[in-house]
Amino acid sequence: MDFKLPFKITFWKVVLLLIWLAGLVAAIIRVFGGLGASTNLSDKFPWGLWVGFDVICGVGLAAGGFTIAAAVYVFHVKRFYPVLKPTILTAFLGYVLVIVGLLFDVGRPDRIYNPLFMGNLHSPLFEVAMCVMFYTTVLFFEFSPNIFQRLGWAGPKRWITKVTVPLVILGVILSTMHQSSLGSLFLIMPEKMYIFWYSASLPFLFYVSAIAAGCAMVIFESHLSFRAFGHRLKDDVIADIGRILLVVLVMYLLMKIYDFTSRGVWSYLFIPRMETYLFWLEALAGIIVPIILLSIRKVRLSNPGLYAVSVLTISGFMLNRLNVATTSFIASSGVHYFPAWSEIAITVALVATGFFVFAMAARYLPVFEEPEAHGPAKPAAYYTDEALQLETTDLSS
Amino acid sequence: MEKKKGLLIDTTLCIGCGACATACKEVNGLPGETEQELSATAYTVVKEKNGIYYRRLCMHCEEPSCKSVCPVGAFEKTAEGAVIYHANKCIGCRYCMQACPFSIPTYEWKKRAPKVKKCILCYERLKEGKITGCAEACPTGATKFGDREELLAEAKKRIQDNPGQYVDHVYGDKEVGGTSVLFLSAVPMGDFGYPTNLPDYPLPRLTWEALSKVPSIAIFGGAFLYGMWWIIDRRMELAEYKAKEKEPPKA
């Protein structure tokens, strides 16, 4: 007798199920055993992988959302429109996963809404919490036309497209505020952090590196969705984002050079210790090698080249955030922290869920459809070459 | 206004009997035997280094980092000088523990509804006019309770009257803008693992320098972006009319 499953078993589906199973076991341990049973955190090391990766990396990686939205709607770079929807979707999923991750990390997830009612204006974490909450809502509205379209709700779709520009500007402001304030979280601990990673410029460094990571994510996911679904974007769009990435990375490098010079950090770069190796890895993978590769025209115009650059930049970015949030505290804390298996399991399960939901949305929602008229209707001449040229001069002047 | 209270801990007088830690447990209803490190059940511990005994406890900063970073305002610096914690607000983000320059707050890691735990300068006893449990229990006067200003003056006098006996520094006088708990010692406090690289201004200032700029960035950033959008949009509109060779309407 034939037994048929409703879906085909593939290697990646088995991997996904195993990841979710491990995540589920870890989640049960977290819920019933508390933070003590599920993490390697301690009084001397109260912030670990869940804060460092799930929150501080997650928010940064979702920064493509506001960058691309600003380019398309505020600066009228219409040729980026095809990447806008998938990027907004990634950002929305990213923020939802950050909030889920936060629910695992805080000791009293049942009180997660408390900042709404008892805010402390002096706390950067309060600002981050509020911005994340509002910005996730904004992202939902930015993405909602796709859902309305799928449901066939013309009314709400028309209504929401009318307020797109103010909504996008609000999103950019909220993002600017909390992406930089994630860096401000660490300003109060100068004496606890290793010299590479504490800087009064942390808010600026976090903001610029988040934009770089956001651009890299756009390249990364357009490559993946091409492989998975065959939606190929016009290559020149991705190449343009690669060029923006290059500019942002060079800007970050210059800021970092200025920061290291003004604080006199250079001599520490050759002391043989764990922090030095991790810093070099972060700087090489995330900044220096991507800058070199992107400066080569052949790499910048090739899909595999851009994909490699995006993977490097994202890895370097994640290492940087983990270094700021965890590595830099190891020396002063006097303990060695390495995440427990359950911390890693939940983190991996969250990332896998992100990939899964993105794939589902890409399949069932009009995420990768051809651009259609958006915003207040404009005559066809809106997209003439002359108009585009004018726009380019605007941007360069 | 009521004068701020404090503790003066003179490590040269401490005999390491641990009466303060025992009394602390009793007063605050903390379970278990004497402990070696601060924990959710030990608000203070007596430790020994090279034959010198010293204590670990909340320093009760004048401008506490924990209070500044808490997103829900669960910490309060009372008029008496105590830094207290409102458990009913706490969401368990543990930013207070991460930010504390003295690494004092501890967490109930094993509980399902955990709280942050730390010395609260026996705040309830202070309100009744009593002194802290540790100071009351101390048999040698190594831990002394009083008005902070008077304790500071006395500490400086002890240094002056006993040349060579103390390091010429009252720990907590200037550190992070001053703390309600003051230490006198014959060796630098750094030998006991106390941070010696602290600035003499309150650490929350570092955050506020960045955070206070946020509202203006939001307002001017929003105006700037809206202006950019409007200008580019209008120019494209004009270009479009020009392409059609028509007179553009007035803006």
Side-chain angles (χ1 to χ4, degrees), chain B residues 10-12 47-56 171 183-196:
Chain B
D10 188 335
T11 59
T12 64
K47 302 183 74 165
E48 184 258 1
K49 181 81 186 270
N50 302 331
I52 305 171
Y53 295 100
Y54 65 96
R55 286 181 65 189
R56 293 253 297 146
Y171 192 87
F183 275 96
L184 274 180
S185 170
V187 296
M189 290 300 285
D191 292 7
F192 304 141
Y194 274 73
T196 49

Side-chain angles (χ1 to χ4, degrees), chain A residues 32 40 42-44 58 61 82 92 96 116 133-135 210 232 253 261 265 287 299 303 315 334 343 353 387 394-395:
Chain A
F32 293 101
N40 280 346
S42 63
D43 290 333
K44 290 191 170 143
L61 289 174
F92 178 65
V96 171
L116 269 176
M133 207 179 291
F134 287 125
Y135 184 53
R232 183 180 279 290
L253 179 67
T261 309
V265 181
I287 317 171
V299 176
N303 275 320
S315 316
E343 286 176 80
T353 307
D394 264 337
L395 284 173

